[in-house]
Amino acid sequence: MLWSMQQQKQHASNEEEEFAGHKSGISSARTSNLKRLSNSSSCSGLSTCLEDMTGTASEPIKKPSSFHKLLALNAPEWKKAIVGSGCAVVFGAVYPVYAFVLGSMISAFFIRDHQEMKSKIRTYDLIFFSLCVVSFTVNLVQHYNFAAMGELVTKRIRESMLTKLLTFEVGWFDKEENSSGAICSKLANEANVVKSLVADRISLTIQTCTAVLLAIALGLWVAWRLAVVMIAIQPLTILCFYTRKVLLKNMSKKSGEAQNQASQIAAEAVANHRTITAFCSNDRILSLFRATQAKNRKDGIRQSWLAGFGIGSAQSLTFLTWGLDYWYGGKLVHEGLITSADVFKTFFILLSTGRIIAEAGSMTSDLAKGSAALKSVFEILYRVTKINPDDPPGTKPVRIQGNIEFNNVAFAYPSRPDVVVLKDFSLKVKAGSSIALVGPSGSGKSTIVALVERFYDPLKGKIMIDGTDVKKFNLRCLRERIALVGQEPVLFGGSIRDNILFGRPNATEAEIMEAARAANAHDFISNLKDGYETYCGERGVQLSGGQKQRIAIARAIIKNPAILLLDEATSALDGESEKVVQEALDRVMVGRTSVMVAHRLSTIWSAECIAVIEDGVIVEQGGHQDLMSRGGAFFNLVKLQQQQ
Ligand SMILES: Nc1ncnc2c1ncn2[C@@H]1O[C@H](COP(=O)(O)OP(=O)(O)OP(=O)(O)O)[C@@H](O)[C@H]1O
Ligand SMILES: [Mg+2]
């Protein structure tokens, strides 16, 4: 009874966890905690922990088995694991002891001497009472320890996964299977499934093993002939469940993939709800969502049929065993080899093993789900990033002058390897000078900016900063000296202050305001009701495009970088604001190497050099006047814009 209640509780808690996981999968995709992200110190402990587990990222790692990896993940909670396992062993022993006493109790009612009957029943009653106290206590301690362990593991898995994810090269995120929705669903659901694998499954396995071993030992001790027959039938029950487990393992993988797809669609729909509303695409998104859900449902139904067949077969086999046991027990009593009391004891004791194995067997689908989740978690935790931002042997420059050089660079995005974006591309930018990249859309301007940040590695050629290949630098150090204002300014769901501080977490109040002034953002921020404490909204939705861009510029300025990368940094501003911000940028650009990409050619007058890019190659390069007088590609671009 106790056992069944525990099983039911575990099933119910799994369902709750899964439900909560799905809910939080979407909500966690929406909330970002800027402070946590910017607080790199909190991650360092974890990354050390991960490095301990994975070895240094650049070394090829020996792949340990999933079980060893799971143990390594739980290592810090070894005390809780030992206490919990000890209690699970005791609780596992409770059931065979209870069965033994129950058998003895029944036989006590057949004693003719009333006094002896009374004293035996009193003794067995006392044992029952002790079992009650022991069960209560060990259950309490066991559940507390395993639950606490599970919670800590979930927390650690989520943090480790996010820490690891943030070290992955940008190209990994470009892949379809690694979209933000899929990753959020992994972070939310799979850590939970692993938790249940640790907390519930480990305790259940220990309990089952103890109970089965003890029951077999007791059964053989009481009446070995009957016990041998009863034990001989158990493999049939186990085989039935084993087959079911293998079938379900394959199916749970498929249903997991389908669920990820559904969560991904939902997360993207919520994140991009404005675009969906504007294009009236609600029905299309819903039908996509329904189609993936339908696949989930079909898989679920098939799974239930199989589960029913497996459980049904196991149950029938158990009843068959009972019939055989009574028949053979009666035969042995008839032959005078054992007493009727022995039949009851052995029957009750070994009856429990069949049930325990059967019930543990019915959890195989959860186990299959758990191991699929575990595999997916470890795929992230043990992946070696192609571009490691913490490369320890990398050069850590104290100062960077800012000379940038592209030497015969060829590049294609890893997600689209057949489209060559840059072909034999060479470019030199002197330290402290500014260059403007212009050219038609899709010509490769943003790609050049991304390569300076080493978001990707080139297929051929070298990108050098101050004469050193960017691959030789410790990336985190290098990136600290480069600031990027992207084409689509990204703000986080924190206050304006938090967002500016993202550039330099230890900046003072005065420095924040100075950076905001330089970006022409101070006035509009001061006019907001909450000033610098104004909440930007998720991805900055509560601000206009121009406001977002000015905050992004302030965030770059506060970093005091040696290299400033401005990818259409003023494209969302109106003419007047653009002029003011451009003036501010011109001031900030003095003494720094600046690479600016601009569509509106009016903003690049101040650049010392202009490079016109077409189809991934420089078709023209020179000063403004020089290019205008040549009457070539740049001249045509300017003329075209003037006409517009
Ligand atoms: N993450 C990516 N994965 C695959 N291909 C990409 C990716 N980003 C850009 N591209 C492709 O690379 C080419 C160059 O893109 P890039 O963004 O560098 O152009 P751009 O000159 O900045 O254009 P725009 O002026 O419109 O911003 C385009 O054909 C684009 O489709
Ligand atoms: Mg671009």
Side-chain angles (χ1 to χ4, degrees), residues 244-436:
R244 190 172 154 259
K245 178 186 164 172
V246 175
L247 283 171
L248 288 175
K249 195 171 180 175
N250 291 339
M251 289 187 63
S252 85
K253 194 174 162 222
K254 280 184 201 144
S255 93
E257 281 164 9
Q259 257 172 27
N260 261 354
Q261 275 174 11
S263 305
Q264 191 177 329
I265 292 172
E268 275 182 11
V270 174
N272 303 321
H273 66 99
R274 284 192 183 202
T275 319
I276 291 168
T277 314
F279 281 91
C280 300
S281 319
N282 307 28
D283 290 341
R284 237 193 91 229
I285 297 288
L286 271 178
S287 65
L288 268 175
F289 190 67
R290 271 193 209 114
T292 12
Q293 292 276 71
K295 195 167 171 292
N296 276 350
R297 208 178 52 236
K298 272 186 204 153
D299 285 348
I301 292 170
R302 270 178 64 195
Q303 215 159 332
S304 314
W305 273 109
L306 272 171
F309 180 76
I311 293 172
S313 319
Q315 201 60 55
S316 323
L317 280 171
T318 315
F319 287 137
L320 258 178
T321 335
W322 292 3
L324 187 71
D325 297 340
Y326 276 122
W327 170 79
Y328 189 61
K331 199 167 168 288
L332 290 175
V333 172
H334 181 69
E335 287 168 9
L337 293 170
I338 53 169
T339 63
S340 56
D342 292 342
V343 175
F344 283 124
K345 282 183 211 160
T346 318
F347 179 75
F348 283 125
I349 292 166
L350 285 171
L351 176 74
S352 64
T353 57
R355 175 138 24 113
I356 291 164
I357 295 175
E359 278 174 355
S362 71
M363 308 287 273
T364 47
S365 77
D366 296 335
L367 272 182
K369 248 188 234 162
S371 53
L374 202 60
K375 192 167 164 266
S376 153
V377 165
F378 286 138
E379 259 168 21
I380 290 184
L381 291 185
Y382 281 77
R383 183 178 181 270
V384 180
T385 175
K386 288 193 179 136
I387 301 176
N388 181 9
D390 285 309
D391 187 15
T395 316
K396 292 185 178 172
V398 185
R399 256 196 82 238
I400 277 185
Q401 287 179 326
N403 287 298
I404 305 174
E405 208 175 326
F406 280 63
N407 278 342
N408 308 100
V409 169
F411 177 74
Y413 282 94
S415 53
R416 231 184 274 161
D418 44 332
V419 180
V420 181
V421 180
L422 298 182
K423 300 152 203 139
D424 210 18
F425 182 86
S426 296
L427 175 75
K428 260 188 193 174
V429 189
K430 267 206 300 192
S433 71
S434 55
I435 185 162

Side-chain angles (χ1 to χ4, degrees), residues 84-99:
S85 306
C87 290
V89 167
V90 177
F91 187 61
V94 164
Y95 210 83
V97 173
Y98 155 77

Side-chain angles (χ1 to χ4, degrees), residues 5 11 56 114 167 171 179 213 308 435 469 477 481 498 550:
M5 277 170 65
H11 272 302
T56 44
H114 266 242
T167 66
S179 67
L213 288 176
I435 185 162
D469 191 337
C477 262
R481 284 154 186 86
D498 290 338
R550 278 179 277 174

Side-chain angles (χ1 to χ4, degrees), residues 445-447 487 567-568 597:
K445 304 179 297 289
S446 298
T447 307
Q487 194 160 6
D567 191 354
E568 312 233 7
V597 177

